């Protein structure tokens, strides 16, 4: 299915989950296509903002960004106020100038761990990019090239540990599979149990 407008309409119709905002997480393994899918879904939502968790993670804290997300993003949004966060520059290895994220009807939170336990109570929906870890990581390694091979070695170990301790996929409302053209959207494990 190439047209995401039906799914976008269903997301807009959900009850707000974080103040006036419907937070929708796009989670999955690194290299699974989360960023591209989130971009296309944001377009179908009429230009919904996308928060990339790569902007909150750092080299030293690949998955220890929960407090930063809460303090800089979800707490202000839950009050109906703009969020202000400083995106991490992966090349300079420092935080850059702050960005403002205005409350919107739907905000997509995209990145590995977006469906983590600490964030799930604030989510209107959790979407999981349904591509196996090894295939995702191979895609990511091809995308990033041999210069980042050592980073990927460390990353895959950290991601494996993260999902072992705090899995997102079993809590997904929908599983999203990339097709040669478009996406297949399947009701996830959570919805299937209801």
């Amino acid at each position: 299915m190439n047209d995401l407008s039906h799914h976008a309409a269903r997301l807009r119709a959900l009850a707000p989950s974080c103040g006036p905002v419907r937070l929708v997480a796009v989670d999955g393994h690194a290299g699974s296509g989360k960023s591209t899918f989130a971009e296309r879904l944001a377009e179908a939502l009429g230009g919904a903002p996308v928060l990339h968790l790569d902007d909150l993670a750092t080299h030293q804290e690949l998955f220890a960004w929960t407090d930063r997300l809460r303090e800089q993003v979800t707490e202000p949004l839950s009050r109906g106020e703009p969020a202000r966060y400083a995106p991490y520059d992966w090349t300079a290895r420092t935080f850059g100038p702050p960005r403002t994220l205005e409350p919107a009807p739907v905000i997509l939170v995209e990145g590995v761990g977006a469906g983590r336990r600490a964030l799930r109570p604030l989510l209107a929906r959790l979407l999981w990019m349904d591509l196996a870890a090894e295939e995702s990581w191979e895609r990511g390694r091809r995308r990033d090239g041999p210069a980042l091979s050592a980073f990927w070695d460390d990353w895959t170990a950290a991601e494996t540990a993260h999902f072992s301790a705090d899995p997102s996929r079993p809590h997904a409302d929908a599983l999203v599979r990339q097709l040669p053209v478009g996406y297949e959207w399947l009701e996830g494990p959570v919805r299937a149990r209801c």
Side-chain angles (χ1 to χ4, degrees), residues 85-171:
Y85 66 97
Y88 184 69
D89 183 324
W90 287 85
T91 303
R93 293 180 177 244
T94 187
F95 288 100
R99 289 184 189 162
T100 300
L101 178 63
E102 296 288 342
V106 179
I107 294 177
L108 302 176
V109 179
E110 173 275 320
V112 178
R116 62 176 36 187
R117 185 179 302 111
L119 189 54
R120 282 195 294 267
L122 300 174
L123 298 177
R125 280 294 176 268
L126 169 54
L127 310 177
W128 176 266
M129 294 303 295
D130 203 34
L131 187 66
E134 292 297 330
E135 188 176 349
S136 296
W137 296 337
E138 180 57 35
R139 284 174 50 171
R141 285 178 185 271
R142 278 195 315 270
R143 176 194 65 209
D144 294 345
L148 291 178
S149 181
F151 175 80
W152 270 95
D153 292 343
D154 292 342
W155 173 268
T156 55
E159 183 183 307
T160 299
H162 167 72
F163 282 135
S164 291
D166 191 356
S168 300
R169 189 182 189 279
H171 303 279

Side-chain angles (χ1 to χ4, degrees), residues 120 126 168-175 187-194:
R120 282 195 294 267
L126 169 54
S168 300
R169 189 182 189 279
H171 303 279
D173 297 293
L175 306 177
E187 294 302 320
V190 167
R191 298 291 295 269
R193 288 194 303 248
C194 296

